[in-house]
Amino acid sequence: MEHNWYALWVKSRHECIARDELSKKGIETFLPSVTKVQQWRDRKKKVEFPMFPGYLFVSLDRCSDDFQRAVRTRGSVCLVSLDPGHPTPVSSEEIQALKAVVASGEAFDVYPHFQQGARVRVRRGPLEGAAGVLAKKEDRHFFFVNVEILGRSVGLKISANDIEQA
């Protein structure tokens, strides 16, 4: 069995529902999320939001009926594909880098796909081994993990001493 990661497009605000339903079917999922402070009139509360609203990642066996089971899950719309009818795999390197960003506990922001800059790899720290793109904004360096198929990036501040050319 050869498993690849795919981006699954889900209905608006159905990321957690689809994730839970897929887990019940035995399909591995990854729903990266960010915690933000939500302000109401009478209180503030920390709330988790999907990093990429409308999407979650699923690990599927290329040679089984996993594709059909994933798409026929409550809340699912379709697997993202660049070639209609053929779901496009997401690089396992991108998934591992996203997992490292989430696990690091560092503050980060999601940006539109960031196309300029050199490919870099983190040499040390909680993100060691993660590959991404380095950009400079004003006097700060940012490390971006691109998810090519979604056209989005996750960015966080990083010291230039902690990275090397990929």
Side-chain angles (χ1 to χ4, degrees), residues 3-162:
H3 282 256
N4 288 323
W5 285 98
Y6 297 90
L8 179 65
W9 179 25
V10 298
K11 293 178 183 177
S12 179
R13 300 184 183 199
H14 279 70
E15 296 89 357
C16 293
I17 293 168
R19 177 197 59 203
D20 295 345
E21 292 293 319
L22 288 161
S23 293
K24 288 178 188 174
K25 292 181 176 185
I27 296 175
E28 182 182 359
T29 63
F30 174 51
L31 178 59
S33 60
V34 59
T35 302
K36 296 181 183 178
V37 175
Q38 186 76 30
Q39 173 75 47
W40 285 276
R41 284 187 184 179
D42 61 338
R43 68 190 188 286
K44 290 182 182 180
K45 184 179 180 183
K46 288 185 179 182
V47 180
E48 271 196 49
F49 291 96
M51 189 182 294
F52 305 111
Y55 299 94
L56 64 97
F57 299 99
V58 292
S59 177
L60 304 174
D61 180 10
R62 291 184 347 167
C63 302
S64 74
D65 64 341
D66 280 357
F67 291 109
Q68 290 297 325
R69 291 184 333 137
V71 174
R72 291 183 178 159
T73 300
R74 190 172 97 191
S76 297
V77 176
C78 67
L79 290 163
V80 177
S81 63
L82 299 176
D83 181 20
H86 302 287
T88 305
V90 176
S91 156
S92 60
E93 184 178 81
E94 291 175 349
I95 295 294
Q96 294 308 320
L98 279 174
K99 286 181 177 184
V101 168
V102 171
S104 75
E106 297 287 327
F108 60 85
D109 291 314
V110 178
Y111 295 87
H113 183 61
F114 200 83
Q115 296 185 16
Q116 61 190 22
R119 298 264 320 148
V120 294
R121 184 171 314 281
V122 179
R123 290 190 302 184
R124 60 179 163 247
L127 299 176
E128 183 176 349
V133 176
L134 179 68
K136 188 170 184 179
K137 182 177 179 183
E138 297 167 9
D139 60 343
R140 296 181 177 164
H141 285 89
F142 287 86
F143 174 73
F144 289 90
V145 175
N146 292 328
V147 180
E148 299 288 336
I149 196 164
L150 298 182
R152 304 247 174 92
S153 301
V154 176
L156 56 101
K157 291 181 254 181
I158 193 165
S159 168
N161 297 330
D162 293 340

